[in-house]
Amino acid sequence: MNALVVPDRRPCRAESDLWRLPPDGRAAQLLRSRVSGQLSDWCLPALGPDLTLIASELAGNAVRYGRPPFWANLHMLSDPGRPESVRLIVADCGPGFDVADVADSWRLSGTTDSGRGRGLLLVDALADSWGTAVRVPLCLTWADLATLR
């Protein structure tokens, strides 16, 4: 497995190595470090604060709700008709979840006190777009951030 790919019409200009994440609390810390290093290599350190927070949430959710093994990588997406963006993908072997169900829980409760999906509420606020895709046996959760912020 070289890269995790969520279908997209935009060409991938660059991608990181595929990172295997440990099946415990160290996953978030390791992914933050890898993301920060890759953004530095791509001369995009300004994305670091938002993307490392997103990385923490996605890695934490994968370990908490998914099943090992856990993987992640970054793609730099470009298309002349759209802004260039960086996509973080985190994968696990869990069943996945419905983004609409999580968003409905925010809307229906009127608060994030329900304890469900609060981390994804941060992802929703910080990412330009995000979602999930199930590609058996993987559940891929991804988030895009435009490189010009």
Side-chain angles (χ1 to χ4, degrees):
M1 184 183 307
N2 292 334
L4 302 169
V5 179
V6 176
D8 196 305
R9 292 189 176 115
R10 290 179 286 175
C12 178
R13 189 164 64 90
E15 69 184 40
S16 71
D17 292 333
L18 187 59
W19 304 311
R20 184 145 190 186
L21 304 175
D24 56 35
R26 296 173 298 148
Q29 180 181 2
L30 177 63
L31 187 54
R32 282 192 309 269
S33 176
R34 295 277 171 91
V35 165
S36 183
Q38 187 64 63
L39 291 175
S40 181
D41 289 350
W42 286 344
C43 299
L44 296 169
L47 295 181
D50 289 348
L51 199 54
T52 56
L53 179 55
I54 289 169
S56 289
E57 295 301 332
L58 297 187
N61 283 350
V63 170
R64 191 172 303 113
Y65 302 112
R67 290 191 302 262
F70 306 105
W71 302 91
N73 73 335
L74 287 176
H75 299 262
M76 190 178 305
L77 303 173
S78 61
D79 182 2
R82 295 164 70 178
E84 185 174 71
S85 63
V86 172
R87 173 170 288 172
L88 171 65
I89 303 172
V90 175
D92 64 73
C93 289
F97 63 95
D98 187 339
V99 172
D101 284 346
V102 173
D104 282 348
S105 74
W106 302 332
R107 184 179 52 78
L108 294 174
S109 70
T111 177
T112 58
D113 291 341
S114 68
R116 182 166 182 251
R118 286 181 287 173
L120 291 175
L121 188 60
L122 289 172
V123 172
D124 189 64
L126 295 172
D128 294 309
S129 59
W130 71 279
T132 63
V134 175
R135 302 287 183 263
V136 175
L138 298 175
C139 170
L140 307 169
T141 305
W142 56 272
D144 292 349
L145 272 78
T147 58
L148 297 176
R149 302 208 111 208

